[in-house]
Amino acid sequence: MAAEKLNKTKKFFSFKRKYLAIPYTVFLALFVVIPILIIIVYAFTDTADDGSLFLNFSFPALVSFFTSPTKINILVVSLFIGILNTIICLLIGYPIAYLLANSKFNKNKILVMLFVMPMWINFVLRTGATRDVLAWMGIKGGAHPYLATMIGMVYNYLPFTILPLYTTMLKLDKSQIEAASDLGASPVEVFFYNVIPQSIPGIVSAAEMVFMPTISSYVISDTLSEGMITLFGNIIYLNFSQSQWNEGSFMAFIMLLLVGISMLISRRFDAAENRVRGGNLW
């Protein structure tokens, strides 16, 4: 009898546990799946000529995008700024994360919080404060739009680079590093042939967290460049604000494709890293 009651209790709790996923499923459907489907529908349709609510399957937004030198130029500029911002953030954030994760250099965990704390402040407030500081330094957006924009980009997205790198470097295999040093490898060789390969997942994660938000951002470029630089996220916002739903949806669809490509690349790196670690097992 006791065993039967125990089995019934296990079945009851296992059955109830399934219901815990219902709120997440509803949230995912309402705020992720349905909006994406609406974007795809509007991206490849057009409003009916009679002004009704019916949509016609056509490609005017696609043709408008690929035949517009302005939109193509904005995409190229956005990709360039996104790549440049990612590289600069990695070059600055990698050594900072390495020092923060190394107990020899960082004996106070409060230093980590100092780099994370700017993320707690409102994004718009940080951008406005950056504009005022740059103006005080003589770097005005009207005279130096790209310089002011890049400074703002690096400042706002540097914490998103340091945090994943820091968490990855905390998990470095210290025994491998010590073994490489004991076998005669120089500190430079240990860093390039041992530390960097182990931190590749953090590098990929940091690049993904910086690259795509940079392209879709428009507050930083619009505020710091005084409207002289238009990024891809800005032109999407302008199309939606002007009720150009089809063209705005198609450019949002382009953004979804870029996000999907970046996720596939990160998964490939993760799979390759897992194969390498699995191959090193005895």
Side-chain angles (χ1 to χ4, degrees):
M1 294 295 294
E4 292 180 0
K5 290 182 179 180
L6 182 62
N7 291 332
K8 290 181 179 180
T9 303
K10 289 182 178 180
K11 291 181 180 180
F12 174 79
F13 281 106
S14 63
F15 180 74
K16 291 295 184 181
R17 192 179 304 169
K18 298 177 182 179
Y19 290 105
L20 297 177
I22 293 178
Y24 173 76
T25 305
V26 174
F27 178 87
L28 188 68
L30 291 177
F31 298 102
V32 179
V33 177
I34 294 178
I36 289 177
L37 291 177
I38 292 175
I39 288 174
I40 295 175
V41 168
Y42 272 95
F44 296 101
T45 56
D46 193 9
T47 55
D49 296 333
D50 56 0
S52 62
L53 297 178
F54 294 99
L55 298 174
N56 299 321
F57 183 76
S58 58
F59 303 96
L62 185 148
V63 175
S64 175
F65 178 80
F66 286 104
T67 56
S68 174
T70 302
K71 295 178 181 178
I72 297 296
N73 181 65
I74 291 174
L75 178 60
V76 172
V77 171
S78 301
L79 291 174
F80 172 76
I81 292 179
I83 294 173
L84 183 60
N85 186 39
T86 303
I87 293 174
I88 295 175
C89 286
L90 287 175
L91 291 177
I92 298 175
Y94 193 93
I96 293 176
Y98 181 75
L99 294 176
L100 292 176
N102 195 327
S103 59
K104 294 181 180 179
F105 302 103
N106 179 23
K107 298 183 181 299
N108 191 349
K109 301 301 181 182
I110 297 178
L111 291 176
V112 180
M113 297 300 299
L114 292 177
F115 287 96
V116 179
M117 281 177 63
M119 300 170 60
W120 300 350
I121 305 173
N122 184 272
F123 189 80
V124 179
L125 293 178
R126 294 204 310 266
T127 304
T130 305
R131 178 192 57 192
D132 297 337
V133 172
L134 291 178
W136 176 76
M137 296 172 59
I139 305 176
K140 296 183 178 180
H144 308 283
Y146 283 96
L147 178 60
T149 299
M150 289 309 306
I151 292 175
M153 290 288 185
V154 172
Y155 168 71
N156 279 279
Y157 291 108
L158 186 59
F160 296 95
T161 308
I162 296 176
L163 192 58
L165 287 171
Y166 171 74
T167 55
T168 300
M169 291 181 181
L170 287 176
K171 304 174 184 177
L172 293 179
D173 190 348
K174 303 298 190 300
S175 61
Q176 291 187 20
I177 299 175
E178 294 175 357
S181 300
D182 294 340
L183 292 174
S186 65
V188 176
E189 292 175 334
V190 172
F191 181 76
F192 282 99
Y193 294 103
N194 199 305
V195 176
I196 291 181
Q198 290 190 62
S199 59
I200 286 179
I203 295 174
V204 175
S205 178
E208 188 176 5
M209 292 180 67
V210 173
F211 178 69
M212 291 309 304
T214 300
I215 296 177
S216 60
S217 173
Y218 64 88
V219 174
I220 298 176
S221 60
D222 193 53
T223 302
L224 298 183
S225 70
E226 298 180 3
M228 297 186 65
I229 296 179
T230 302
L231 296 184
F232 206 64
N234 199 347
I235 194 172
I236 293 175
Y237 165 74
L238 290 175
N239 276 272
F240 282 124
S241 63
Q242 297 172 2
S243 299
Q244 297 176 354
W245 307 108
N246 303 103
E247 296 186 5
S249 296
F250 182 79
M251 284 184 284
F253 177 73
I254 296 293
M255 285 293 303
L256 290 175
L257 290 179
L258 293 176
V259 171
I261 292 172
S262 65
M263 292 179 64
L264 288 176
I265 293 175
S266 64
R267 286 188 177 182
R268 285 183 176 273
F269 273 101
D270 291 339
E273 183 68 16
N274 292 332
R275 286 197 298 269
V276 170
R277 290 185 178 182
N280 290 334
L281 296 175
W282 291 95

